[in-house]
Amino acid sequence: MKKFSFTTELPASDTTVAGFLKAFERVLENSNYRSMLDLYSRVSMNCSRCAEECQIFRASRDPRDIPCYRSALLLDIYRNHFTAWGLLKSRIRGTSPLRESDIEEMAESFYHCTVCGRCSIFCPLGIDHRLIVRLGRYILSLAGIAPKALTVSVKEQTEGATRNTSGVPLKALRDNLEFLEEEIQEIKGAAVKFPLDVKGAEYVFFAPVSDYLMEADTLMGIACVLQEAGVSWTICSENYDAINYGLFYNDEVLETITQSMYEAFRNIGGKKILIGECGHASRAASLFMSHFTNSDIPVVNIIELTARLIEEGRIELDPDAIQEKVTYHDPCNIARSGWIVEQPRRILRSFVRNFVEMDPHGTLNLCCGGGGGTVSVSEFKPYRMDIAGKGKADQLRASGAELVVTPCANCKKQISELIAHYRLPMRHAGLHDLLLTAIKLKKADGEG
Amino acid sequence: MATIDLNGVMFEVDEDGFLQEPEKWTEDVAKALAGQEGVTELTDEHWKVMNYLRNYFQENGIAPMVRKLTKETGVQLKQMYELFPQGPANSACKWAGLPKPTGCV
């Protein structure tokens, strides 16, 4: 079998049709995906209403990028191999057998999709293509096909010495936190702490661990907001990574990582889980925490909390701090369902004078073009720039904004690369990066 | 595993060209990797960044925070991209013989 456009840990030649079907069977036995497949495989999927709503198809004009074409790849296999009618029909009429090239096509197709979920909003039959892609990737991964960039990160997180996707040792975390405290002292003239291992804190904070390498301003902004508002919070040395790539390619990985977050949270005796600026990690934790841990722990995204603190008047922001024309990019994983759409806008409108919206935005936003784990796979970069992210680049340019704010590690990386690739006349920042600039710390002014 | 030929010596690299045998790194390796990205001359600024990365990595087992790197070396981010075309993670770390950053980096 020829190689995929992404690198896999196993040699691609080890993947076979039999291996794929076996993996499919295993998933059907151990999950409740069958009811979803039964429903969807009975529905006609030829209307292509989704096509023009998919930014990837609009950029590539390749019919294989139409969401219902992609979903049909998996549903056809289900129909032919795992339903009584399909098996009977193939015995009578003879169906062409599944070929290795079919599996190859699926592998390419399921990783061409950034799993943004926009198509499902427009599907008149209510088909959840995002779920079908997730299932397809799950089966592929059990058959040995998943991008190495994701699987090695997960291996470090679940079995490695550091227990996080970027391999940040505890020693380096401590060094980073100390450095950030010094930086805040320098920038804001106030002593702001990053609490570590405070037992019984109300909020146990999990950032996407890459923030400890890339997003100093986001973390400093979060620490300033929480301390200024008097929130009880802590980072936990047992686990300081919110990232859960299981959401992108494997339900079993999703479960393992969710449970390990819960373990650390329980060991430190916290009351709520607080996720930093990260779309997929927020969605993974909020959707699956209770399901996989049999608990009812509240999962809160930092934007929800900050919006509430502002409404309660617990922090003060300088309305003159940000002079640029600002727009906001909605991360699909927190916006598509309508969960976090209004909160960031309330935050921004409370202190940014010049705020403009992109069209469309909110639940109907366009993806940054790097969703579904694709941003972490360097082989996909040309595709993310020229195809998947093209619609977002056009939208960013049309906004006329000088600063695009997005509260997601994944979107930040993709958007910064789009800005460089398309030479867009703007910069990008996280939401709490702006709050770091605008927040008035009482201790700094000598006010009460 | 792929190998590359740097000035007549073979090195094992991953799919993105990061060295798999960091102990084999020498300054000549850095020069050869830079040359592959079209940078033919390594300046004092280049070495300042790469030496800081190597020392921090030896001490802490990971690359430093980007903000710390720019602060400690005095090389601002914009200049960093001029010195290292693919940026601090994908060029500077690679030339300095550090492993490829994983996760959302």
Side-chain angles (χ1 to χ4, degrees):
Chain A
M1 186 186 281
K2 96 169 195 259
K3 282 177 77 174
F4 310 112
S5 64
F6 52 88
T7 312
T8 52
E9 272 192 281
L10 284 176
S13 56
D14 284 8
T15 55
T16 59
V17 169
F20 180 86
L21 290 174
K22 214 170 134 193
F24 205 153
E25 196 175 341
R26 184 181 141 193
V27 168
L28 292 175
E29 277 167 12
N30 298 311
S31 73
N32 45 20
Y33 279 114
R34 192 181 265 278
S35 54
M36 179 269 275
L37 290 165
D38 275 336
L39 175 67
Y40 290 164
S41 62
R42 287 195 190 106
V43 171
S44 160
M45 296 236 282
N46 298 319
C47 86
S48 291
R49 172 72 179 86
C50 49
E52 283 303 318
E53 302 299 342
C54 173
Q55 70 196 63
I56 289 172
F57 173 68
R58 286 175 64 163
S60 74
R61 289 286 154 195
D62 182 340
R64 290 173 301 180
D65 283 329
I66 296 174
C68 53
Y69 176 89
R70 174 179 292 116
S71 292
L73 298 175
L74 191 70
L75 292 174
D76 281 348
I77 298 175
Y78 177 72
R79 247 184 241 116
N80 292 336
H81 292 266
F82 297 102
T83 64
W85 173 239
L87 288 169
L88 183 68
K89 206 166 68 174
S90 63
R91 198 166 286 185
I92 298 166
R93 284 203 300 195
T95 349
S96 54
L98 192 59
R99 292 158 306 176
E100 289 196 356
S101 58
D102 296 325
I103 294 177
E104 219 174 275
E105 183 185 5
M106 268 189 295
E108 291 305 321
S109 177
F110 290 154
Y111 282 97
H112 259 207
C113 173
T114 62
V115 212
C116 82
R118 192 167 185 272
C119 48
S120 302
I121 292 189
F122 294 93
C123 177
L125 299 165
I127 291 172
D128 189 345
H129 296 291
R130 182 165 60 168
L131 188 59
I132 295 175
V133 169
R134 206 176 96 205
L135 173 60
R137 288 179 174 195
Y138 177 24
I139 299 167
L140 285 168
S141 80
L142 294 178
I145 307 167
K148 184 182 164 196
L150 299 181
T151 55
V152 295
S153 299
V154 161
K155 202 171 268 178
E156 180 61 27
Q157 189 179 22
T158 54
E159 301 163 24
T162 65
R163 296 269 158 178
N164 63 74
T165 48
S166 289
V168 177
L170 183 55
K171 188 178 181 209
L173 177 80
R174 287 181 195 279
D175 180 69
N176 284 331
L177 297 181
E178 205 175 295
F179 169 70
L180 292 173
E181 287 173 357
E182 288 164 15
E183 287 291 282
I184 296 175
Q185 183 72 50
E186 206 176 301
I187 302 168
K188 307 295 288 185
V192 171
K193 289 276 160 217
F194 281 85
L196 188 63
D197 292 335
V198 178
K199 292 256 175 200
E202 186 178 0
Y203 291 96
V204 181
F205 176 68
F206 298 87
V209 74
S210 50
D211 279 9
Y212 293 109
L213 298 171
M214 311 300 287
E215 303 295 344
D217 290 35
T218 302
L219 294 168
M220 291 192 285
I222 289 171
C224 287
V225 166
L226 296 180
Q227 178 167 315
E228 186 66 12
V231 172
S232 147
W233 72 291
T234 189
I235 296 165
C236 172
S237 64
E238 185 187 331
N239 183 341
Y240 39 92
D241 190 3
I243 287 173
N244 192 339
Y245 288 158
L247 185 71
F248 297 146
Y249 78 95
N250 184 308
D251 286 10
E252 289 151 43
V253 170
L254 176 68
E255 178 173 2
T256 304
I257 296 173
T258 307
Q259 286 171 346
S260 110
M261 177 185 273
Y262 176 71
E263 285 297 309
F265 166 81
R266 213 183 45 180
N267 290 341
I268 205 165
K271 302 199 175 44
K272 295 168 191 159
I273 289 174
L274 180 62
I275 310 285
E277 292 198 0
C278 185
H280 89 276
S282 301
R283 177 160 160 255
S286 100
L287 279 183
F288 296 103
M289 189 58 65
S290 59
H291 178 70
F292 286 136
T293 66
N294 212 5
S295 70
D296 55 358
I297 302 304
V299 174
V300 179
N301 174 284
I302 184 68
I303 304 164
E304 295 180 279
L305 177 58
T306 298
R308 183 161 66 73
L309 297 173
I310 290 177
E311 273 148 42
E312 291 172 0
R314 289 164 69 178
I315 57 173
E316 196 187 340
L317 301 169
D318 175 3
D320 296 318
I322 305 293
Q323 297 290 339
E324 293 153 289
K325 187 172 178 180
V326 174
T327 191
Y328 177 79
H329 164 74
D330 289 278
C332 304
N333 277 304
I334 54 176
R336 191 70 67 215
S337 65
W339 175 27
I340 298 177
V341 173
E342 288 310 315
Q343 302 91 323
R345 291 173 168 80
R346 287 206 297 271
I347 295 172
L348 287 168
R349 288 186 195 282
S350 77
F351 72 104
V352 170
R353 292 182 197 279
N354 197 352
F355 178 75
V356 289
E357 289 284 12
M358 284 183 274
D359 180 32
H361 60 266
T363 53
L364 294 180
N365 81 318
L366 296 188
C367 175
C368 65
T374 60
V375 83
S376 304
V377 184
S378 53
E379 304 90 284
F380 292 149
K381 189 175 173 192
Y383 174 75
R384 286 192 281 108
M385 294 297 107
D386 297 326
I387 304 288
K390 189 180 176 298
K392 181 50 68 174
D394 292 343
Q395 227 190 348
L396 286 168
R397 183 178 278 117
S399 74
E402 298 156 285
L403 171 56
V404 51
V405 172
T406 189
C408 170
N410 188 114
C411 304
K412 282 171 191 166
K413 181 175 182 216
Q414 166 75 359
I415 285 179
S416 74
E417 290 176 357
L418 286 177
I419 289 173
H421 184 78
Y422 288 96
R423 299 178 192 281
L424 302 175
M426 55 172 55
R427 67 180 181 104
H428 82 289
L431 182 57
H432 286 79
D433 306 34
L434 267 64
L435 292 167
L436 172 69
T437 308
I439 193 167
K440 293 185 181 175
L441 299 175
K442 290 184 199 89
K443 286 158 203 124
D445 301 333
E447 291 170 13
Chain B
M1 191 67 68
T3 53
I4 52 164
D5 181 343
L6 298 174
N7 302 332
V9 186
M10 301 303 282
F11 291 89
E12 283 197 1
V13 292
D14 74 359
E15 57 282 0
D16 291 316
F18 281 76
L19 286 191
Q20 297 297 288
E21 308 152 294
E23 65 286 354
K24 282 195 180 173
W25 183 91
T26 64
E27 293 193 355
D28 284 338
V29 171
K31 283 180 197 160
L33 288 169
Q36 288 191 333
E37 293 182 38
V39 175
T40 49
E41 203 190 325
L42 291 181
T43 62
D44 288 351
E45 304 273 79
H46 283 108
W47 287 115
K48 197 160 49 170
V49 171
M50 285 193 281
N51 288 333
Y52 183 75
L53 284 174
R54 289 186 62 80
N55 289 335
Y56 191 94
F57 183 80
Q58 272 166 10
E59 180 75 14
N60 295 288
I62 186 84
M65 223 176 195
V66 173
R67 190 183 176 99
K68 188 161 188 169
L69 176 67
T70 57
K71 181 150 189 169
E72 297 288 331
T73 59
V75 177
Q76 292 312 303
L77 202 54
K78 190 163 178 281
Q79 196 191 350
M80 199 73 80
Y81 277 87
E82 286 159 13
L83 293 169
F84 302 96
Q86 302 293 317
N90 287 320
S91 290
C93 284
K94 184 195 286 181
W95 303 356
L98 269 62
K100 182 168 65 175
T102 56
C104 288
V105 174

